[in-house]
Amino acid sequence: MDYKESLLLPKTKFPMRGNLPQNEPKKYKKWDEENVYERMKANREGAPSFTLHDGPPYANGHIHIGHALNKVLKDIINKFHYFDGKSIRYVPGWDCHGLPIEQKVEEKIGSTKKKELPKSKLRQLCRDHATKFVDIQKEEFKRLGVLGDWENPYLTMDFKFEANIYRELCAIAKQGLLVQRSKPVYWSWAAQTALAEAEVEYEDKTSPSIYVAFKHEKLDASVIIWTTTPWTLPANTGIALNGEEEYVLTSDKFIVAKKLYNSLIENEVISGEIVGSVCPKELEGTHAINPLNARQSKIILGEHVEMDAGTGAVHTAPGHGEDDYKVGLQYGLDVIMPVDAYGKYDETIVREKLFNDTDKYLGLHVFKANELILEELGEALLKHVDIRHSYPHCWRTHKPIIFRATKQWFISIDDEYGKENKTLRQNALDVVENLTFYPEWGRNRLKSMLDGRPDWCISRQRDWGVPIAFFRNKKTDEIIFDEKVLNFTAMIFEQKGCDAWYDLPIEELLYPGSGYNPEDLEKTMDILDVWFDSGSTQNAVLRSRNYDAGTFPADMYLEGSDQHRGWFQSSLLTTLASSEIAPYKSILTHGFTVDEKGEKMSKSKGNVVAPDKVMKQYGSEILRMWVAMSDYQSDLKISDNILKQNAELYRKIRNTARFLLANVDDLEEIISVDKMGELDKWILAKAKSVFDEIEASFNVYEFSKGLNKLNNFLVVDLSGIYLDVCKDRLYCDDKNDIHRLASQSAMAIIAKKLISTLACILTYTMDELLEFAPVCIKGNASDIFDYEKFELPVVESVINDELFIAAKEKFAEIKDSLSKEKTIKSTLELSIYTNCEDILNLGQTEAADWFIVSSITNNKQSSDILGKFEVNNFEFEVYKAVEHKCPRCWKFTAKQEDTLCQRCEEVLN
């Protein structure tokens, strides 16, 4: 007789294969149409809140794998808090102003046409370009399963938003921290605009390293300076020495720092012996002569002069460097800046007589002037070698930049302000001490950057951005900071956008009752740095009430580690300058995406992994799995191989979940733990311990650590032991047998916890699981977003893990050799003798199931011993089972051949 029909075999319609690339888009579309995000808000009304404020990606081009990583990580964290019972808010946003968009438009229409176009027309073209890519990127982000307020995202170019960026600027002006002055800034001659520190990246460049002798006016000796920017020599107005160091005079009549004398001899810059000592303080205020133009160069003292390289005498051109500028202010040095916006020498060189022959330099790019200058220095040039060194480049044009003193707007970092009369730098450093950082090293990174940063240059000489919209009195050169005038401008921006600043005449822009004569006024025409735009999002999004965006300050800002010098700083400085509050309570940073070998991705190397390709090949769940499984605190490796490994892990999770569903399909109600057997209690105690550890890891956003623990539990304890040992009772016991119901209940409990835990990462798959889950798992939830967080029961287990698993492993070794020798086909052909009370106390059924044998006894048998082992001094002997094989359950427990065992007999009758 075939007893197969009588077995209760696993049954579920949950598919083994996910077919993710085909099926995910349908579900994501449904979530979008049903506006699941709004339901999530309704589900958590009155619950404690969690606000992750979105750092804006740039509205230009398709998303890359770094964008995908960033948005998925944010989504996992938001959903973790949602499924933990919190009310979450997530308003995605975009940076829409700035140079790259302006450059794209310029490429499209040509630079000639750009000059002919009215500003507002050009700005409209930029707006259209940004709008196109906002729509493209929005759809690409949705396809990653990212949920948020996609219906009402924030765009920095929306009229209300532009007005709020401008209001933030006015609030900073009111605090007295907004200043306009001529000062050296990073200048991109390729883009003709000033740059902020965050817009500068360092790349290698070859520069001439030169030593130049400046003849002292009164002494029969020369001071030697060292520089790698010969083109700045015409603007030299000083030579800085360190007042605390000793200087020496050499027999070949040069003055250098004593500490650097030996290296200058070695490098053959000088050859003379030391003949005397020179006190730098006695040289202070005297002059040396610039060999390039015979102009005087004042000898000054400065703490910035270091003794690790050079000569101890620093060439000082206040128009071309931050330190030079600061020390120049103390000594009243002229700020000469003979370079135009395109990086070429201008009329200043003629007016100030900065070269002997100005004609050949006028209009020449400064980098091309280096060679000519070296020739012109003649004997004063003591040594010249070309060196390869790290040099600042413009992050957009990738061209080397220059330092150039221009009239710019700055947010002052070191002026006291506000209630406590602290500086912005001090306030920022104080705040950083009290924030939470994931990972912790972010604190020191941000601190060191705030510690050493200069004033923030926020003005740009471009067209596409929020104008620094102030009126200047032409007669007095004063800026009008009248609050009513500024509020009126903001109101116009809110109604008509910033284009109004360019389109409307002054009389229409000026507050009617201001008392100012429009004819006396002119508009300032610089625009704001885009970092100021993004730094203002905390005001325009979290505080304006224009968005349902959660609480201020935000609970978390989350971006790549490059944002310690970017958005984390710009947000902090903007908010502290305007309101003396920090915009966030915690900062989480992730690394960059690199290929399998840890190399940077580039099209030329052919190692770029595009999100779109991953979605088509694997689906978004595998990409989400990769994000969660990566240690995002350092650089994240991605490649086809790595994605395959994640797909394999996903398959394990899916198949385990499927097995659980299939075995609880007919379970109507979960029974209480006290009715369960020891094996069920053991797996629940194990699960409780593991899932508590997983939750602790997830709580500090260490998802990979948690998932590795989960994977180990699923593979080793759940699939490797428990699901295996339960098969007999699940398939062969009576449908309502307590053993079977207990094991089904334990599986249902673990399935509930698995769904609850993985909902934040594999939201799609957990939702799909619920569709096919019985009511005892699903409850009243219509989908994953209604699913309540599930807590595992606290269970005491009598099973001694170490002893039981060691015994199981040693038995497996004997089983393997018996199978190899073809002595047995199945472990059910065996029985075990042991004197171990712990195992015998489980009772016959549970103990035999642990080893998947037909019986366990405390009586030694007289038949042949097939194998023996010891664990903790307890004996184990393995024999052939003495009873007959039951044709239904295949256990060797039947009294006679071809008859059913007692259990199967009872089930069938």
Side-chain angles (χ1 to χ4, degrees):
M1 183 177 168
D2 183 5
Y3 291 102
K4 192 175 176 190
E5 292 303 310
S6 74
L7 297 175
L8 298 167
L9 294 173
K11 193 173 74 186
T12 180
K13 288 182 178 168
F14 179 68
M16 189 181 281
R17 289 181 153 286
N19 287 336
L20 301 174
Q22 291 73 40
N23 294 335
E24 285 169 344
K26 295 172 197 164
K27 182 157 278 185
Y28 292 160
K29 187 168 186 275
K30 182 171 171 269
W31 289 353
D32 202 30
E33 284 165 357
E34 291 175 1
N35 204 341
V36 158
Y37 176 73
E38 285 302 315
R39 179 148 58 93
M40 288 165 77
K41 282 174 17 182
N43 284 351
R44 296 286 185 268
E45 209 165 307
S49 73
F50 177 79
T51 301
L52 195 161
H53 177 45
D54 192 30
Y58 197 63
N60 190 18
H62 290 264
I63 68 167
H64 53 65
I65 201 73
H67 286 123
L69 155 68
N70 179 272
K71 275 287 192 287
V72 167
L73 189 53
K74 286 173 180 170
D75 188 60
I76 290 172
I77 287 173
N78 275 327
K79 284 177 183 163
F80 169 71
H81 286 286
Y82 173 76
F83 289 114
D84 195 37
K86 293 197 187 80
S87 171
I88 61 145
R89 291 295 182 274
Y90 181 62
V91 177
W94 277 270
D95 244 336
C96 304
H97 295 123
L99 183 62
I101 290 172
E102 195 175 326
Q103 283 177 327
K104 284 286 180 205
V105 168
E106 196 172 323
E107 277 170 32
K108 216 180 289 175
I109 62 174
S111 52
T112 315
K113 192 177 177 195
K114 182 192 171 193
K115 283 171 189 160
E116 293 164 4
L117 278 180
K119 273 207 179 188
S120 54
K121 179 65 187 155
L122 173 73
R123 288 168 62 87
Q124 187 55 50
L125 291 173
C126 292
R127 192 176 289 278
D128 295 344
H129 179 92
T131 303
K132 173 186 159 186
F133 281 104
V134 165
D135 293 342
I136 286 170
Q137 289 186 9
K138 187 192 291 185
E139 290 312 309
E140 291 172 335
F141 286 137
K142 283 185 187 178
R143 283 173 56 204
L144 296 165
V146 176
L147 295 176
D149 199 348
W150 294 111
E151 295 302 304
N152 310 291
Y154 75 81
L155 308 179
T156 57
M157 64 182 178
D158 285 347
F159 291 176
K160 279 184 176 176
F161 208 106
E162 290 184 329
N164 278 328
I165 293 170
Y166 177 70
R167 287 188 180 109
E168 191 72 342
L169 179 72
C170 295
I172 292 168
K174 194 177 173 185
Q175 294 272 37
L177 292 179
L178 187 67
V179 291
Q180 192 183 31
R181 59 170 176 257
S182 190
K183 184 179 177 214
V185 289
Y186 294 111
W187 184 268
S188 172
W189 50 267
Q192 298 90 57
T193 185
L195 300 175
E197 199 180 16
E199 295 169 311
V200 174
E201 55 190 25
Y202 284 79
E203 294 173 28
D204 281 353
K205 176 182 180 288
T206 301
S207 298
S209 162
I210 64 169
Y211 293 84
V212 183
F214 278 55
K215 180 85 182 68
H216 195 273
E217 233 176 10
K218 296 197 169 76
L219 302 174
D220 183 17
S222 298
V223 179
I224 308 174
I225 63 96
W226 169 66
T227 183
T228 55
T229 53
W231 61 269
T232 61
L233 283 172
N236 171 286
T237 53
I239 296 173
L241 310 179
N242 188 322
E244 303 308 310
E245 294 291 337
E246 190 184 340
Y247 286 74
V248 293
L249 176 66
T250 64
S251 56
D252 45 0
K253 299 187 175 173
F254 295 118
I255 295 169
V256 295
K258 187 178 184 181
K259 282 180 184 167
L260 291 161
Y261 168 78
N262 288 337
S263 72
L264 291 167
I265 290 283
E266 279 167 34
N267 290 322
E268 298 177 352
V269 178
I270 57 176
S271 56
E273 296 165 5
I274 296 175
V275 293
S277 178
V278 178
C279 174
K281 289 175 180 168
E282 287 173 13
L283 291 180
E284 185 183 17
T286 64
H287 294 91
I289 303 299
N290 187 336
L292 204 56
N293 50 26
R295 291 170 60 97
Q296 283 190 329
S297 182
K298 190 178 203 174
I299 294 179
I300 59 177
L301 303 179
E303 289 172 9
H304 66 290
V305 181
E306 292 176 353
M307 296 292 133
D308 51 357
T311 65
V314 173
H315 149 56
T316 303
H320 290 303
E322 174 79 10
D323 285 335
D324 300 28
Y325 177 77
K326 282 181 183 166
V327 75
L329 280 179
Q330 291 170 27
Y331 283 93
L333 299 185
D334 288 343
V335 180
I336 296 174
M337 213 291 299
V339 182
D340 69 12
Y342 295 89
K344 296 173 179 179
Y345 286 122
D346 63 16
E347 288 291 338
T348 311
I349 64 167
V350 180
R351 190 176 65 248
E352 298 288 340
K353 301 187 180 68
L354 300 186
F355 289 103
N356 294 325
D357 177 2
T358 51
D359 288 351
K360 67 180 178 188
Y361 290 99
L362 195 59
L364 183 68
H365 194 284
V366 293
F367 290 154
K368 289 182 181 166
N370 280 338
E371 285 300 320
L372 292 175
I373 288 171
L374 298 188
E375 284 173 32
E376 203 136 326
L377 286 170
E379 288 178 7
L381 178 62
L382 303 179
K383 173 130 189 188
H384 162 220
V385 287
D386 284 337
I387 60 164
R388 193 95 182 129
H389 64 146
S390 179
Y391 187 88
H393 284 63
C394 168
W395 73 320
R396 290 299 185 194
T397 63
H398 300 291
K399 295 278 194 290
I401 59 167
I402 57 178
F403 278 93
R404 177 173 178 266
T406 53
K407 202 165 194 185
Q408 301 289 348
W409 289 97
F410 296 89
I411 291 175
S412 170
I413 299 293
D414 293 312
D415 284 337
E416 290 178 354
Y417 76 108
K419 294 174 197 138
E420 293 184 29
N421 281 332
K422 283 186 182 172
T423 68
L424 189 49
R425 190 190 309 277
Q426 192 52 56
N427 267 341
L429 288 168
D430 290 351
V431 160
V432 171
E433 286 299 335
N434 298 314
L435 297 172
T436 306
F437 283 84
Y438 306 97
E440 173 57 34
W441 55 255
R443 187 187 313 277
N444 284 340
R445 186 176 158 89
L446 187 53
K447 262 167 63 179
S448 67
M449 287 180 169
L450 288 163
D451 224 0
R453 69 156 299 141
D455 287 344
W456 179 8
C457 175
I458 58 164
S459 46
R460 298 291 177 272
Q461 291 64 49
R462 303 295 300 189
D463 297 319
W464 178 228
V466 175
I468 298 177
F470 299 131
F471 295 112
R472 186 193 307 279
N473 187 321
K474 288 186 280 192
K475 290 179 178 174
T476 63
D477 201 35
E478 274 180 291
I479 299 288
I480 310 297
F481 284 129
D482 184 316
E483 207 163 323
K484 285 177 183 164
V485 172
L486 302 181
N487 289 343
F488 190 71
T489 305
M491 189 188 73
I492 290 173
F493 286 180
E494 191 157 313
Q495 291 165 1
K496 303 181 181 182
C498 293
D499 294 357
W501 188 250
Y502 306 99
D503 292 346
L504 299 180
I506 288 175
E507 42 271 30
E508 287 182 44
L509 290 164
L510 188 62
Y511 173 63
S514 72
Y516 292 100
N517 179 356
E519 287 175 18
D520 292 344
L521 306 178
E522 63 183 7
K523 302 174 191 174
T524 58
M525 295 305 271
D526 287 345
I527 61 165
L528 280 166
D529 167 18
V530 281
W531 289 104
F532 190 91
D533 282 23
S534 61
S536 308
T537 58
Q538 39 71 29
N539 176 45
V541 179
L542 297 177
R543 295 198 275 169
S544 68
R545 301 197 180 154
N546 292 336
Y547 305 88
D548 182 9
T551 55
F552 175 85
D555 292 289
M556 178 178 281
Y557 273 33
L558 183 170
E559 298 303 326
S561 52
D562 55 336
Q563 296 308 322
H564 288 109
R565 63 197 297 257
W567 191 53
F568 298 147
Q569 265 199 67
S570 65
S571 299
L572 182 62
L573 295 175
T574 310
T575 327
L576 285 175
S578 66
S579 328
E580 297 177 72
I581 310 169
Y584 38 63
K585 296 174 188 172
S586 71
I587 284 178
L588 186 145
T589 46
H590 59 77
F592 298 111
T593 49
V594 292
D595 73 5
E596 213 169 359
K597 296 172 190 156
E599 289 179 12
K600 199 175 171 184
M601 293 191 187
S602 71
K603 284 179 186 168
S604 59
K605 281 183 192 163
N607 63 352
V608 172
V609 177
D612 190 48
K613 186 170 176 273
V614 178
M615 307 281 274
K616 282 180 185 152
Q617 193 176 341
Y618 295 100
S620 70
E621 292 285 80
I622 307 304
L623 194 60
R624 294 175 69 89
M625 195 82 205
W626 164 74
V627 172
M629 275 302 288
S630 300
D631 176 11
Y632 60 79
Q633 296 185 357
S634 50
D635 286 349
L636 294 86
K637 292 180 178 178
I638 187 167
S639 67
D640 203 42
N641 269 336
I642 290 166
L643 288 165
K644 275 186 187 136
Q645 289 162 21
N646 281 286
E648 187 53 34
L649 176 59
Y650 171 81
R651 199 176 60 76
K652 270 185 206 158
I653 292 171
R654 187 181 182 93
N655 286 349
T656 307
R658 185 173 184 270
F659 190 83
L660 291 172
L661 281 198
N663 279 299
V664 301
D665 187 60
D666 59 358
L667 180 69
E668 286 163 18
E669 192 185 342
I670 293 173
I671 69 162
S672 65
V673 174
D674 57 354
K675 293 180 186 160
M676 290 183 183
E678 289 307 331
L679 294 183
D680 309 316
K681 288 177 181 172
W682 169 76
I683 195 66
L684 286 178
K686 196 92 180 148
K688 173 74 176 150
S689 157
V690 169
F691 278 101
D692 282 354
E693 285 178 26
I694 293 166
E695 194 153 327
S697 296
F698 281 19
N699 267 319
V700 289
Y701 314 113
E702 290 178 355
F703 298 104
S704 63
K705 203 182 267 185
L707 283 179
N708 279 315
K709 285 182 177 131
L710 176 65
N711 183 36
N712 189 56
F713 170 73
L714 295 182
V715 172
V716 177
D717 301 312
L718 190 64
S719 303
I721 300 177
Y722 183 71
L723 298 182
D724 217 18
V725 304
C726 288
K727 281 176 184 169
D728 174 72
R729 66 183 67 178
L730 290 167
Y731 303 168
C732 304
D733 278 3
D734 181 71
K735 180 176 184 293
N736 295 315
D737 187 287
I738 190 67
H739 283 101
R740 184 171 188 271
L741 292 175
S743 292
Q744 282 185 304
S745 296
M747 288 182 193
I749 286 169
I750 289 166
K752 283 174 79 99
K753 187 61 182 175
L754 186 68
I755 293 168
S756 172
T757 301
L758 289 179
C760 61
I761 298 165
L762 302 175
T763 320
Y764 166 86
T765 305
M766 296 304 114
D767 191 45
E768 190 189 6
L769 265 173
L770 275 193
E771 272 178 53
F772 295 95
V775 172
C776 66
I777 288 177
K778 184 158 46 178
N780 299 321
S782 60
D783 63 15
I784 193 68
F785 302 104
D786 293 341
Y787 195 67
E788 294 292 323
K789 183 179 180 182
F790 182 72
E791 296 294 354
L792 286 165
V794 177
V795 181
E796 293 293 324
S797 168
V798 299
I799 289 179
N800 172 343
D801 240 30
E802 207 176 309
L803 169 73
F804 273 64
I805 288 169
K808 194 170 171 66
E809 284 171 355
K810 292 214 170 166
F811 170 70
E813 287 170 22
I814 291 170
K815 174 206 81 174
D816 289 345
S817 68
L818 292 173
S819 298
K820 244 183 226 155
E821 293 158 10
K822 298 199 164 49
T823 309
I824 60 162
K825 287 181 182 171
S826 152
T827 54
L828 292 174
E829 294 171 45
L830 303 172
S831 77
I832 294 175
Y833 153 78
T834 182
N835 60 354
C836 176
E837 291 295 326
D838 282 10
I839 286 175
L840 292 167
N841 286 341
L842 286 186
Q844 179 59 242
T845 307
E846 300 259 282
D849 279 352
W850 179 257
F851 294 98
I852 315 179
V853 292
S854 285
S855 64
I856 282 200
T857 174
N858 62 348
N859 296 319
K860 290 196 177 193
Q861 290 183 22
S862 54
S863 55
D864 292 346
I865 297 172
L866 301 181
K868 56 181 356 181
F869 59 91
E870 273 193 14
V871 178
N872 294 8
N873 297 325
F874 294 118
E875 291 177 43
F876 291 81
E877 290 178 3
V878 180
Y879 310 97
K880 271 268 195 179
V882 290
E883 298 197 66
H884 299 281
K885 182 178 181 178
C886 169
R888 180 172 178 266
C889 69
W890 298 357
K891 273 191 172 182
F892 284 69
T893 48
K895 299 295 177 203
Q896 291 170 333
E897 203 153 338
D898 294 331
T899 60
L900 295 174
C901 66
Q902 190 184 342
R903 185 263 310 258
C904 288
E905 185 78 58
E906 284 169 6
V907 170
L908 289 187
N909 292 328

